[in-house]
Amino acid sequence: MKYAFIAQHKKTWPVDLMCRLLGVSRNAYYRYCLYQQSRQPDPDHEAILTAVKELAKVSGYSYGSRRMKAKSVTDALRMALWRRRPAAGLIVHSDRGSQYASKAYRRLLKAHDFAGRVSRKGDCRDNAVAESFFASLKKERVQWRHYQTRAEAQQDILDYIVMFYNNWRLHSTLDYSSPNDFESAMAQMKKAA
């Protein structure tokens, strides 16, 4: 990706400068250029690429990588189970995405005696908590970072959610205390009762 950027902009900025700024060696960049020149065209690959581009155009560029997967939501729920250890009877709220209707996700809910609840169609208030979370994620973390890879972005966002947001961040819905403070207060109230 860096080499392609340099090749695209070599008439605008010096190659040496771009290599230094992007943290790549000039030799590696020039090896990339030689490889690109010596690469044999693959007619099958080009035909598939043309067909995919046409499909994207016809769909108004709405087709892309497979969508929001059941594994992602089941992994997230398992992590929450491991971290929070909620009691049976928990209501798990989600949107109407197909991954929340998947067999794997429903089995996981049933195995822990949780109730799944989805937003009512067209009722934006149902998503207020999720919308607030994503606004916080964007404002407090993502807009200040420049990720080099998808894996780096995933790890940083996971750290934000697991280490900061779910533990130490002050939440207005918890009377401006952190989830850890709130859990401690709830445990003390249970002991006192």
Side-chain angles (χ1 to χ4, degrees):
M1 205 172 191
K2 292 178 182 180
Y3 300 136
F5 177 86
I6 294 169
Q8 256 184 326
H9 297 91
K10 67 183 178 185
K11 292 182 179 176
T12 309
W13 298 297
V15 169
D16 187 47
L17 174 65
M18 288 189 288
C19 287
R20 277 189 284 133
L21 290 174
L22 294 173
V24 296
S25 73
R26 281 180 35 186
N27 286 341
Y29 165 70
Y30 286 117
R31 278 195 308 272
Y32 165 82
C33 291
L34 287 173
Y35 170 75
Q36 292 296 94
Q37 290 170 357
S38 67
R39 201 170 64 156
Q40 295 295 321
D42 180 357
D44 292 337
H45 177 76
E46 294 302 320
I48 291 170
L49 189 58
T50 301
V52 168
K53 286 180 180 178
E54 184 59 29
L55 273 172
K57 185 178 178 183
V58 169
S59 73
Y61 299 99
S62 64
Y63 287 153
S65 60
R66 291 186 61 120
R67 294 182 183 148
M68 278 193 58
K69 296 179 180 174
K71 184 177 181 338
S72 298
V73 296
T74 54
D75 287 350
L77 183 55
R78 281 190 184 97
M79 185 174 16
L81 289 166
W82 173 78
R83 175 72 182 94
R84 296 285 177 191
R85 304 195 194 293
L90 179 74
I91 297 173
V92 181
H93 182 82
S94 70
D95 65 19
R96 293 176 169 264
S98 61
Q99 67 275 31
Y100 299 108
S102 70
K103 288 181 184 177
Y105 186 76
R106 291 284 168 202
R107 270 196 304 260
L108 188 57
L109 289 176
K110 188 174 182 178
H112 293 278
D113 199 22
F114 295 161
R117 181 177 180 274
V118 296
S119 303
R120 289 183 299 277
K121 192 173 183 179
D123 189 349
C124 60
R125 293 170 296 174
D126 275 357
N127 288 325
V129 173
E131 295 295 332
S132 175
F133 163 74
F134 283 111
S136 297
L137 174 65
K138 290 173 188 174
K139 286 186 286 191
E140 296 173 5
R141 180 58 67 104
V142 175
Q143 78 174 5
W144 305 107
R145 308 294 171 124
H146 299 285
Y147 304 113
Q148 296 296 313
T149 64
R150 181 177 291 210
E152 181 185 342
Q154 288 173 331
Q155 185 59 53
D156 185 56
I157 291 168
L158 181 65
D159 287 345
Y160 171 83
I161 295 168
V162 174
M163 303 306 291
F164 176 68
Y165 190 89
N166 285 349
N167 289 303
W168 304 110
R169 186 182 182 277
L170 304 181
H171 295 269
S172 59
T173 55
L174 300 178
D175 199 25
Y176 293 97
S177 61
S178 72
N180 280 351
D181 293 339
F182 183 76
E183 283 183 5
S184 296
M186 293 301 288
Q188 289 176 356
M189 286 173 55
K190 284 181 182 176
K191 285 182 184 176

